[in-house]
Amino acid sequence: MKNSRKLYAIPYYVWMLLFVVAPIMLVVYYSFIDIEGNFSLVNYQKFFTPIYLKMTLSSFWYAFLITAFALLVAYPAAYLLTKTKHKRLWLLLIIVPSWINLLLKAYAFIGIFGSHGPINAFLSVMGGEKQLLFTDFSFVFVSVYIFIPFMILPIFNALEKLNPSLVDASNDLGASNWTTFSRVIFPLTLDGVKAGCQTVFIPALSLFMLTRLIAGNRVITLGTAIEQHFLITEDWGMGSTIAVFLIITMFIIMGLTGSRKRGMRSEKK
């Protein structure tokens, strides 16, 4: 039985080696190559200059805003879904837009936020038009819209697994709705919140298409810098250095969000 399990695991290990480990090692290798093709640490020296540090802080700030707003919308939505009839159907309707190509959704919002779009048409009737496209607001709004399904799904699953008798016990003991939520519901669904934040925050750090189409390059993130170094300046070493930083950040975030589960497993052992 053990030999058969090892045999069945071979395709998995081969896949991980070819499409996960090998690309990461290739990125790490190129991060030590300068623009002239020589082995050097100059890329890491450049990364810790004020320009890239400011870009890093900007990326983290926008990723935090996107994650925070997505959580504020997703948690109540997921909670209401668990209380509605045909909740699986409603959940599917929320997830379906995530199947649409990101580029198509971006162009749709260009039309919506554009100067001749429906929002500006409404604002003109109310008293005046506003420049909504190519702003921080439009970038954060569209990003939150795109990532909301990925935040709702893990929170919905966590709420579904919540034992309703615990909520009933809290109400029977005289706890208010806010106390029940803050002391019972939210702590017991915190793993779903962590999973949702992880799913949103990590890709939000490396957004680049929306920064061009929706923000008009007014928002510069690490993802934008990687795209420019690989496709415009052709400085693959610097682009790889930024990618290495994002990979390290990804592992740190995954470690922080998964610490509670590992702690519970160790306690059980």
Side-chain angles (χ1 to χ4, degrees):
M1 180 66 71
K2 291 183 178 179
N3 292 332
S4 61
R5 287 180 180 177
K6 291 180 180 180
L7 184 64
Y8 293 146
I10 290 176
Y12 168 77
Y13 289 124
V14 172
W15 177 273
M16 292 294 291
L17 181 64
L18 291 178
F19 299 105
V20 178
V21 178
I24 291 176
M25 296 304 296
L26 191 62
V27 168
V28 173
Y29 167 76
Y30 272 109
S31 69
F32 291 100
I33 305 299
D34 61 17
I35 195 170
E36 297 176 355
N38 301 318
F39 185 85
S40 173
L41 296 176
V42 66
N43 295 322
Y44 288 93
Q45 294 173 355
K46 288 168 59 178
F47 182 79
F48 289 101
T49 55
I51 295 176
Y52 287 100
L53 290 178
K54 183 179 179 180
M55 192 183 302
T56 302
L57 290 176
S58 176
S59 298
F60 272 90
W61 171 245
Y62 283 109
F64 170 77
L65 286 179
I66 293 167
T67 305
F69 284 120
L71 178 60
L72 288 175
V73 175
Y75 201 103
Y79 184 79
L80 290 175
L81 278 176
T82 59
K83 304 299 181 182
T84 57
K85 192 177 181 180
H86 308 299
K87 52 190 171 185
R88 298 290 176 180
L89 176 60
W90 287 109
L91 181 64
L92 179 63
L93 293 176
I94 292 174
I95 296 174
V96 163
S98 65
W99 300 348
I100 302 174
N101 185 273
L102 178 61
L103 186 62
L104 294 178
K105 288 188 282 190
Y107 277 112
F109 274 103
I110 290 175
I112 293 172
F113 287 129
S115 57
H116 301 290
I119 294 181
N120 261 320
F122 173 77
L123 291 176
S124 63
V125 173
M126 298 300 294
E129 297 183 1
K130 287 188 177 181
Q131 175 62 32
L132 297 176
L133 197 61
F134 307 139
T135 61
D136 291 1
F137 166 79
S138 61
F139 171 70
V140 174
F141 184 92
V142 175
S143 300
V144 169
Y145 165 79
I146 289 171
F147 286 121
I148 274 180
F150 303 102
M151 181 71 80
I152 288 179
L153 189 57
I155 295 175
F156 175 84
N157 291 333
L159 288 168
E160 277 285 273
K161 295 176 182 178
L162 180 64
N163 190 346
S165 61
L166 298 175
V167 179
D168 295 335
S170 177
N171 293 328
D172 292 340
L173 291 171
S176 62
N177 292 333
W178 171 250
T179 303
T180 301
F181 172 77
S182 60
R183 297 290 185 88
V184 180
I185 298 176
F186 188 77
L188 292 177
T189 57
L190 192 58
D191 286 340
V193 173
K194 287 183 177 181
C197 291
Q198 179 188 112
T199 308
V200 172
F201 189 86
I202 292 174
L205 274 176
S206 55
L207 284 173
F208 67 92
M209 185 185 298
L210 295 182
T211 58
R212 290 187 178 278
L213 297 178
I214 303 298
N217 279 339
R218 294 187 180 185
V219 175
I220 304 298
T221 63
L222 293 176
T224 308
I226 292 174
E227 181 201 23
Q228 290 178 346
H229 282 304
F230 272 98
L231 300 181
I232 299 175
T233 65
E234 296 187 1
D235 188 356
W236 290 18
M238 195 61 220
S240 298
T241 302
I242 302 173
V244 168
F245 176 79
L246 287 176
I247 292 171
I248 294 173
T249 303
M250 176 189 69
F251 282 118
I252 291 174
I253 293 172
M254 291 175 65
L256 292 175
T257 54
S259 58
R260 184 180 175 186
K261 289 183 178 180
R262 288 198 298 269
M264 293 174 64
R265 288 174 184 172
S266 61
E267 289 176 2
K268 289 179 181 179
K269 291 181 180 179

